[in-house]
């Protein structure tokens, strides 16, 4: 049936190279040529090379709709972002994610479908993924209540998370693939830099308590503070946005006015905090030294420029895309890929 479908589509396009012509030029059977074009399964390397050369010489392009019927593939993947629309459009993290994912898919015909999983619409997102619209999914900015990790495991849909998913059980977590940066080490590194500068009352504006990045960066801050024999009580939380950084900075300085160093868990929150420090008469870094996290471009444009821990978002998204491509080709799951953090020192600390 599948062979007849493709044959019919090819025959309906007069003057356009057909699958039969590709097979004849490559010196293989029509079924071998079809398998080579549709993924290369059960095709020898020699035959695959011959078919690829014939396709290039003849300018053959299979009809995408017919190919989907044959392969049961859509040649599309979803980039799932469980955040409000305005957050996706304003946060440079998501631009970096798209950049890295596009790089991973550059040599393929796979298209990316952006799925913004707005708060309270998890069921709609899962239903979309379940109904066969895409071949796989990349999930970024995952929150505990999204439950996308468990849903994707149940769907058996090829998927990769950018950032460690907060799974409910070890069983679920062991069946997920993800890439991340070592956020605990990054939090320690940022805090140690402040300690090495001589700061003795270091606070933190931590990230969301329902995201692994927020949790792990706070753990790193606490580890460095404990190792230095310092108190770790000066903690307020934001949600990785500029507005929340400004509000958190005001709370932190009100509750802990003796703070002389702040580790802020994202550069966007730091961009909101710096004007508040200036408003309150605290010079940076003379009165309060500040270290951020991400180094995605915002850090270099703040006043003063921000010392920041690198989160290699583009490289992480590219790695996630390549891992998803491997899954789509039938590869077995691989252990998590964790990038090492680095510190970029600028004028703020």
């Amino acid at each position: 049936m599948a062979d007849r479908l493709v044959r019919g589509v090819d025959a309906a396009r007069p003057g356009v190279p057909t699958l039969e012509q590709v097979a004849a030029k490559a010196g293989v059977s029509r079924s071998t040529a079809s398998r080579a074009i549709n993924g290369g399964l059960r095709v020898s390397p020699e035959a695959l090379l011959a078919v690829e050369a014939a396709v290039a010489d003849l300018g053959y392009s299979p009809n995408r709709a017919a190919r989907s019927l044959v392969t049961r593939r859509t040649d599309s993947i979803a980039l799932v972002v469980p955040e409000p629309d305005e957050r996706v459009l304003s946060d440079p993290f998501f631009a970096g994610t798209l950049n890295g994912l596009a790089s991973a898919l550059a040599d393929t015909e796979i298209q990316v479908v952006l799925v913004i999983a707005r708060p309270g619409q998890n069921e709609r997102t899962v239903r979309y993924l379940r109904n066969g619209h895409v071949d796989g999914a990349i999930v970024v900015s995952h929150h505990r209540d999204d439950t996308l990790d468990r849903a994707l495991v149940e769907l058996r849909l090829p998927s990769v998370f950018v950032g460690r998913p907060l799974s409910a059980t070890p069983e679920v977590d062991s069946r997920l693939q993800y890439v991340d940066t070592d956020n605990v080490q990054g939090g320690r590194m940022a805090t140690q830099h402040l300690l090495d500068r001589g700061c003795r009352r270091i606070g933190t504006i931590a990230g969301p308590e329902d995201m692994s990045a927020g949790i792990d960066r706070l753990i790193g801050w606490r580890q460095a503070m404990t190792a230095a024999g310092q108190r770790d009580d000066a903690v307020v939380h934001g949600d990785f946005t500029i507005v929340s950084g400004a509000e958190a900075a005001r709370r932190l300085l009100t509750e802990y006015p003796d703070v002389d160093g702040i580790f802020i868990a994202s550069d966007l929150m730091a961009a909101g905090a710096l004007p508040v420090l200036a408003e309150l008469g605290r010079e940076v870094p003379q009165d309060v030294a500040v270290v951020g996290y991400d180094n995605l471009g915002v850090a270099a444009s703040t006043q003063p420029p921000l010392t920041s821990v690198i989160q290699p978002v583009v490289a992480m998204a590219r790695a996630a895309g390549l891992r998803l491509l491997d899954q789509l080709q039938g590869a077995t799951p691989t252990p998590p890929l964790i990038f090492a953090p680095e510190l970029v020192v600028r004028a703020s600390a």
Side-chain angles (χ1 to χ4, degrees):
M1 177 64 179
D3 193 58
R4 291 198 299 273
L5 280 170
V6 176
R7 187 193 304 258
V9 172
D10 286 339
R13 296 185 292 167
V16 176
T18 66
L19 187 61
E20 285 83 357
Q21 291 173 320
V22 171
K25 187 172 184 63
V28 300
S29 69
R30 189 180 189 284
S31 60
T32 296
S34 178
R35 289 197 303 274
I37 291 169
N38 293 318
L41 297 177
R42 305 192 308 280
V43 179
S44 69
E46 295 77 11
L48 185 60
L49 288 173
V51 171
E52 289 175 346
V55 167
D57 288 345
L58 295 173
Y60 176 76
S61 179
N63 180 277
R64 181 176 289 272
R67 182 177 178 183
S68 295
L69 289 172
V70 174
T71 63
R72 298 181 183 273
R73 296 273 289 273
T74 67
D75 284 343
S76 299
I77 64 170
L79 175 60
V80 182
V81 186
E83 297 286 359
D85 299 25
E86 61 274 12
R87 176 79 183 275
V88 177
L89 297 174
S90 62
D91 192 329
F93 175 89
F94 300 111
T97 299
L98 284 170
N99 187 359
L101 186 55
S103 174
L105 303 178
D107 295 329
T108 76
E109 295 185 359
I110 292 177
Q111 302 296 314
V112 178
V113 178
L114 178 60
V115 178
I116 300 177
R118 300 177 183 88
Q121 296 185 353
N122 293 337
E123 291 185 5
R124 175 186 291 184
T125 301
V126 173
R127 186 165 57 248
Y128 176 84
L129 297 175
R130 180 190 297 118
N131 288 342
H133 299 293
V134 294
D135 300 324
I138 302 289
V139 182
V140 300
S141 200
H142 173 55
H143 298 257
R144 180 183 286 111
D145 291 342
D146 298 329
T147 67
L148 286 170
D149 44 7
R150 297 186 290 281
L152 286 171
V153 167
E154 292 170 1
L155 293 176
R156 299 186 181 277
L157 183 73
S159 57
V160 183
F161 282 70
V162 178
R164 176 175 62 84
L166 289 171
S167 302
T169 66
E171 177 186 355
V172 171
D173 193 63
S174 67
R175 295 165 62 187
L176 288 167
Q177 288 204 57
Y178 66 91
V179 300
D180 204 352
T181 186
D182 189 340
N183 286 296
V184 174
Q185 173 60 19
R188 281 199 304 264
M189 183 181 294
T191 309
Q192 189 60 51
H193 180 74
L194 293 169
L195 290 166
D196 292 343
R197 277 186 56 92
C199 297
R200 288 297 173 262
R201 186 64 167 119
I202 301 172
T204 185
I205 298 176
E209 298 178 87
D210 66 344
M211 298 182 71
S212 61
I215 293 168
D216 291 348
R217 292 170 195 177
L218 179 58
I219 289 172
W221 175 80
R222 289 194 189 282
Q223 288 179 352
M225 295 292 282
T226 299
Q230 288 212 21
R231 288 181 292 165
D232 61 354
D233 57 331
V235 180
V236 295
H237 289 270
D239 65 2
F240 290 153
T241 63
I242 290 177
V243 171
S244 75
E247 294 172 349
R250 199 173 299 279
R251 291 200 312 272
L252 183 68
L253 270 296
T254 299
E255 297 175 21
Y256 307 98
D258 57 338
V259 160
D260 62 355
I262 308 175
F263 165 47
I264 305 180
S266 84
D267 289 347
L268 282 183
M269 291 198 299
L274 288 172
V276 172
L277 292 173
E279 176 191 330
L280 297 176
R282 307 295 182 91
E283 292 188 29
V284 178
Q286 293 88 341
D287 300 322
V288 180
V290 176
V291 177
Y293 206 115
D294 287 330
N295 199 53
L296 293 178
V298 176
S301 62
T302 59
Q303 291 298 323
L306 189 65
T307 294
S308 183
V309 178
I310 296 175
Q311 178 170 220
V313 173
V314 174
M316 290 163 58
R318 173 176 168 78
L322 293 175
R323 287 185 167 220
L324 184 58
L325 290 177
D326 287 344
Q327 286 188 53
L328 296 177
Q329 293 298 321
T332 56
T334 53
L337 175 62
I338 308 299
F339 288 81
E342 299 177 45
L343 184 72
V344 177
V345 178
R346 297 189 179 92
S348 70

